[in-house]
Amino acid sequence: MSTDREQAAFEAGIKLGALYHQWVGTPISVQTASGVEAVIEQSVGLQPFVEEIDVTLDRSLMNANAFGYAELSGLMFDVTIRTKVGATTCVAALRPENGYPLMRIVSCDEEEPLSDH
Amino acid sequence: MSTDREQAAFEAGIKLGALYHQWVGTPISVQTASGVEAVIEQSVGLQPFVEEIDVTLDRSLMNANAFGYAELSGLMFDVTIRTKVGATTCVAALRPENGYPLMRIVSCDEEEPLSDH
Amino acid sequence: MSTDREQAAFEAGIKLGALYHQWVGTPISVQTASGVEAVIEQSVGLQPFVEEIDVTLDRSLMNANAFGYAELSGLMFDVTIRTKVGATTCVAALRPENGYPLMRIVSCDEEEPLSDH
Amino acid sequence: MSTDREQAAFEAGIKLGALYHQWVGTPISVQTASGVEAVIEQSVGLQPFVEEIDVTLDRSLMNANAFGYAELSGLMFDVTIRTKVGATTCVAALRPENGYPLMRIVSCDEEEPLSDH
């Protein structure tokens, strides 16, 4: 059996794993970065259980190669995603930690029931 | 805060989301399918927290196009993965359900402590 | 040895092959399609030898699955790209032909030298 | 119009562009590299106009991250592909040049007609 908490965490993991491998390798530059951020947010936002997603790409890593552009790499991602299953909200992140593009759970919380007075 | 159970579920989600978007679109045929299955298993098996992964691709969907090959599509996947974080094991699957390549948690379980006699 | 004509054709092939495998599988809907088109155009446009690229995605194929979205598939692409190497311009296309997402050269032409009167 | 020479070059470009973006990002290690090489060769070999493909991945770049594995990156590729359209054979390569994963045409040649004596 699994609970809402585990399912919310599972869904957050799916989305982060998917977006990483979908977009790594895309040609990118400082000029096109904001468009790519918006499209990643919109695309992931179409998927079930996603409440909110925020994508920021590290422009300081977009060093142009000999041909004038960079490729989106794992360490450029700073992503926060919030999924919801039942009453549980899970917040997870993808961002560099010690030189590795780490995915981790930030929090899993049940909604506070409304107070009755 | 998150527990081992949520983290095990999160890791299973990451791996399923990642492998789906990494390999969808690969040219494939009935002749090459077993090699692709093995490489997906080996690649995913390199990642942290993965205890076991089994990948079977549905050969009945590998209908050759006009040029004699097919592309790996989401509905071909039948994947079972087992992740472990602390004492918790999570089993998750990717397989078709009602025409959709569904990812779901099969179980999340703590290891039974050894009996003392 | 290879000529400008062959190199212009080669570059067009690289870009079409790359964009196909980069973006296939992305979650998409009629609402997000124009943003995805623009980002593909901008990303490919960063690469060397690309003079112009036009991407249209077939919205009639974006049938929502049980979860309300579609995935970008090969048959949705209608792409025209123009590459230039030396004095040669190559126009190539990716679009469905007999149910297959066919990539083909439309034309390879040298620039007309300017008339001297 | 385009000739067999341009089409052979175009097809080589398609295959190199496609394989690059299909496999970049795959988890890989020195232990799994030969399996990945074989699967890339088999997959690309399914596609039309491909006569031969040879893939070698640079193991010296497979430096394990904190979690014990690497990701397939563009600079690891050393690929030679031979395409054939009509009587023309095109050989193209993907390999590092000045720190960039360069795709280039090696040669485009018509078959020698058989001598009549």
Side-chain angles (χ1 to χ4, degrees), chain A residues 8 51 82-91 107-111:
Chain A
E51 290 283 288
R82 192 155 53 87
T83 54
K84 187 173 180 186
V85 174
T88 303
T89 292
C90 181
V91 178
S107 65
C108 272
D109 290 303
E110 275 79 37
E111 270 171 50

Side-chain angles (χ1 to χ4, degrees), chain D residues 1 37 54 60 75:
Chain D
M1 278 293 299
E37 290 167 345
D54 183 73
S60 76
L75 291 171

